[in-house]
Amino acid sequence: MGESLTESRTETTLPAPGGQRHAEHRRTAGTPEGRGTIGAQRDGRPATAEGHEAGMLLERARAVVDPVLRAALGSMPGPMRRIALHHFGWEETDGTAAEGGSGKAIRPALVLAAAAACGGSEARAGAARAAAAVELVHNFTLLHDDLMDRDTTRRHRPTAWTVFGDADAILAGDALQALAMRLLAQDPHPAAPAAAVRLADCVVELCAGQHADTSLERCAPAEVTLDEVLAMAQAKTGALIGSACAIGGLYGGASEAEVAALNAFGREAGLAFQLIDDVIGIWGDPRRTGKPVGADLAARKKSLPVAAALASGHPAAGELAELYARSGGMEDLERIAVAVERAGGRDWAQGQAADRMARAMQHLARAVPDPEAAGGLLALAEFVTRQAG
């Protein structure tokens, strides 16, 4: 999903990235003085400056990683390759070449930016396989999530399970995970073994997070706590973004403490990302996101805005609980969305995203004290809190 929150009624306030502000974040992150506002000017630079920098980093990441991804997909058996190429947007359903892209490449860009922040441009160039491995794991999760959530579109295209069936989508996802591990196993870089262990641990955490997500769907609204939903989101989204940053640090020669701080930075930024993604899932424009709006509400998912609204104690929380206790479906979606907003779920999620980004900046300052070196990671952190999916 890729919609900006600038369309939302309530603006999201975020820590202001940029080299001159990096040291300041260590003192003010998490306070009003340590935040900027999307669309506002920061340190004499319009917010679009960070967006432009992030755009260049994403383009560079795609140029570096796409050849590795295409080679990896090309090694798959024919039927699996066709499913994967369709999912990545590189082939149409009939097997002809497609013009579509394979996503924004946020996670591989974070790997490369973290490697550069810790070890310079040479480290960034050497991390291409690791960046591709992270992107393969991300797409493994997308294939499985689309199936489990019964989502019919992604990136404005039919999801793989709707075209090839459930079993083939599962198998293609499994194959992508195996390709990721093979890339690291064959990588001669000295950091590859540690990166492989970290990515494998991340996959286990991702699966635990998805299990928690599906389990929470079966729980009555009153049985679910906000802390449980936050932990689930941290495992489902924060874990892989944190691992991307940590793996980049490994390839850049970072110390154990610096790698841990990069992981914490990515986890907090990833949670901010999920908070905004959940807001977009309820109030976004499907023409921009490429996914149907309201699907999470129809499935009665306990997304972060919903969980916050249910726990708010506001009178609208009772109405929301009653609506959520009904059978899932597309009925009452507008009433549910209104109840979530009235109970404060939308405002809480947007404010929490700002707070999580402030924490992320504190971790990044410990991992990469040099503001100039951290510039790429700062720009990408700003980007992921304005874009989702």
Side-chain angles (χ1 to χ4, degrees), residues 167-351:
D168 282 356
I170 292 170
L171 293 169
D174 293 344
L176 293 185
Q177 183 192 166
L179 288 177
M181 299 307 170
R182 188 175 72 183
L183 276 177
L184 292 175
Q186 294 177 339
D187 190 351
H189 196 285
V197 172
R198 184 170 286 275
L199 192 57
D201 287 344
C202 177
V203 169
V204 174
E205 187 174 358
L206 289 169
C207 292
Q210 181 64 19
H211 177 267
D213 190 16
T214 56
S215 296
L216 289 172
E217 288 182 45
R218 297 190 292 270
C219 294
E223 297 173 349
V224 177
T225 69
L226 182 55
D227 285 344
E228 286 178 314
V229 180
L230 280 166
M232 177 270 292
Q234 185 72 264
K236 278 194 65 176
T237 304
L240 186 55
I241 292 180
S243 291
C245 297
I247 287 170
L250 288 170
Y251 274 71
S255 69
E256 184 175 341
E258 290 165 344
V259 170
L262 284 167
N263 179 60
F265 159 74
R267 281 178 173 270
E268 294 291 355
L271 189 51
F273 174 98
Q274 187 60 57
L275 284 154
I276 293 173
D277 198 49
D278 283 354
V279 170
I280 291 170
I282 300 174
W283 294 284
D285 181 354
R287 293 172 297 179
R288 298 187 63 185
T289 66
K291 292 189 70 175
V293 71
D296 287 353
L297 297 182
R300 302 302 190 258
K301 278 186 172 291
K302 314 305 190 295
S303 66
L304 288 161
V306 169
L310 289 168
S312 68
H314 189 279
E319 179 188 356
L320 175 61
E322 291 180 9
L323 290 168
Y324 245 56
R326 298 178 184 176
S327 299
M330 302 305 289
E331 301 84 3
D332 296 325
L333 292 189
E334 185 175 350
R335 290 181 62 195
I336 292 173
V338 169
V340 173
E341 186 159 12
R342 286 178 54 221
R346 182 174 185 170
D347 287 344
W348 175 88
Q350 293 178 313

Side-chain angles (χ1 to χ4, degrees), residues 13-16 21-36 268 351-363:
T13 54
L14 301 170
R21 294 286 292 172
H22 191 50
E24 182 71 10
H25 284 328
R26 282 174 279 185
R27 298 192 298 273
T28 63
T31 69
E33 292 78 10
R35 297 179 189 167
E268 294 291 355
Q352 185 71 194
D355 291 340
R356 293 292 176 166
M357 279 305 301
R359 298 183 198 184
M361 296 307 163
Q362 292 174 331
H363 290 301

Side-chain angles (χ1 to χ4, degrees), residues 116-130:
C118 297
S121 58
E122 185 175 341
R124 178 176 58 215
R129 281 176 172 263

Side-chain angles (χ1 to χ4, degrees), residues 8 23 39 48 59-60 78 96 111 134 168 173 208 280 336 387:
S8 299
T48 52
E59 287 181 14
R60 180 186 299 164
T96 58
V111 174
V134 168
D168 282 356
I280 291 170
I336 292 173
Q387 307 284 324

Side-chain angles (χ1 to χ4, degrees), residues 18-245:
Q20 295 177 344
R21 294 286 292 172
H22 191 50
E24 182 71 10
H25 284 328
R26 282 174 279 185
R27 298 192 298 273
T28 63
T31 69
E33 292 78 10
R35 297 179 189 167
T37 302
I38 288 178
Q41 198 168 31
R42 301 184 181 92
D43 305 317
R45 293 190 304 161
T48 52
E50 286 94 28
H52 178 67
E53 183 178 358
M56 291 192 298
L57 290 168
L58 294 170
E59 287 181 14
R60 180 186 299 164
R62 190 52 76 201
V64 169
V65 171
D66 272 4
V68 183
L69 290 173
R70 286 184 179 273
L73 299 190
S75 71
M76 300 173 76
M80 293 294 97
R81 182 170 65 249
R82 182 183 173 195
I83 299 166
L85 288 171
H86 166 81
H87 169 75
F88 272 82
W90 291 333
E91 278 191 5
E92 303 291 356
T93 55
D94 61 3
T96 58
E99 298 295 329
S102 54
K104 291 183 285 288
I106 291 169
R107 292 155 190 82
L110 286 167
V111 174
L112 300 178
C118 297
S121 58
E122 185 175 341
R124 178 176 58 215
R129 281 176 172 263
V134 168
E135 186 72 343
L136 286 168
V137 164
H138 174 53
N139 281 276
F140 139 69
T141 68
L142 296 183
L143 277 163
H144 285 197
D145 284 359
D146 286 343
L147 171 58
M148 284 184 274
D149 295 342
R150 310 312 283 180
D151 286 336
T152 57
T153 58
R154 178 174 291 281
R155 301 166 185 154
H156 307 279
R157 292 165 54 83
T159 47
W161 71 269
T162 66
V163 178
F164 303 100
D166 293 6
D168 282 356
I170 292 170
L171 293 169
D174 293 344
L176 293 185
Q177 183 192 166
L179 288 177
M181 299 307 170
R182 188 175 72 183
L183 276 177
L184 292 175
Q186 294 177 339
D187 190 351
H189 196 285
V197 172
R198 184 170 286 275
L199 192 57
D201 287 344
C202 177
V203 169
V204 174
E205 187 174 358
L206 289 169
C207 292
Q210 181 64 19
H211 177 267
D213 190 16
T214 56
S215 296
L216 289 172
E217 288 182 45
R218 297 190 292 270
C219 294
E223 297 173 349
V224 177
T225 69
L226 182 55
D227 285 344
E228 286 178 314
V229 180
L230 280 166
M232 177 270 292
Q234 185 72 264
K236 278 194 65 176
T237 304
L240 186 55
I241 292 180
S243 291
C245 297

